[in-house]
Amino acid sequence: MRTLELTPRLQLLADWVPPGARLADVGTDHAYLPVWLRLHGRVVFAIACDLREGPLARARETGRTYGADGVDFRQGNGLEVVSPEEADTIAVAGMGGENIASILARAPWTADGTHTLLLQPQTRAEVLRAFLAENGYAIRREALVEDRGTIYPVMEAGGGEMSLTLGQLHGGAALLHDPLGERYIIQKIIRLQTAVAGLNRSGGGREKGDALREIITALLSMREEWRRANSR
């Protein structure tokens, strides 16, 4: 039997799944995460759901290839094919932060305080953090993982209250002691500086440029805070 190995990004998510959980993996694609968790006895049951039939067919093939049972494959939009009592842990990974926010917005029961959310935005993490803060969720922990040369944030969230500074929205809600924190912040600053330079060359978007510069200033402060917290 072949051995299923997870990428660093998926492995971090797997490590955060509570033992004995009932998992729903939204946008499962190949279903590597739920299949790995079942093969290692980490979850008692898993729902692997995806919007399209193609990815779901790949997911079923993964289950057959590695001989995993206890995984239910469902086609549907977000969490529309999962009922609140079926899963206590929800994983949504590998898509943009705005898409993850949209999925949660259509399933407000995920903020009831009894569900653990494991979220991994590929892009626009700040949109997801803002949505969580504004809609009755709290980020319990956040970590960074490097996968194929790219740094990704991973968040564990649930029902609750939190407020985030501008720097935390863009540079991470709880990454003060993360080893990759400074690199993550610097990458954000560079991208924003590039955007500001583009606006300056075009001679337009002064208001947008001012907003971007405000974010850069907040991130520079976060960088200094990270350095102080991690100085020896």
Side-chain angles (χ1 to χ4, degrees), residues 17-23 41-45 88-89:
V17 173
R22 291 174 288 116
L23 175 76
R42 292 285 303 278
V43 298
V44 297
F45 175 71
D88 51 44
T89 303

Side-chain angles (χ1 to χ4, degrees), residues 122-179:
Q122 298 285 82
T123 59
R124 303 297 300 279
E126 68 279 2
V127 173
L128 177 57
R129 293 188 192 103
F131 170 84
L132 294 172
E134 294 165 4
N135 289 276
Y137 300 86
I139 296 174
R140 299 168 183 164
R141 57 176 165 169
E142 184 171 356
L144 299 170
V145 59
E146 187 169 9
D147 195 333
R148 301 174 189 175
T150 300
I151 297 175
Y152 299 101
V154 177
M155 309 169 196
E156 178 187 309
E161 294 183 5
M162 70 172 177
S163 60
L164 299 177
T165 66
L166 183 62
Q168 287 174 320
L169 278 175
H170 291 267
L175 297 175
L176 190 59
H177 296 282
D178 194 288

Side-chain angles (χ1 to χ4, degrees), residues 189-202 208-209 212:
I189 291 171
I190 291 172
R191 281 196 286 269
L192 289 167
Q193 289 175 332
T194 301
V196 169
L199 288 172
N200 290 340
R201 284 193 300 271
S202 67
K208 183 176 181 180
L212 294 179

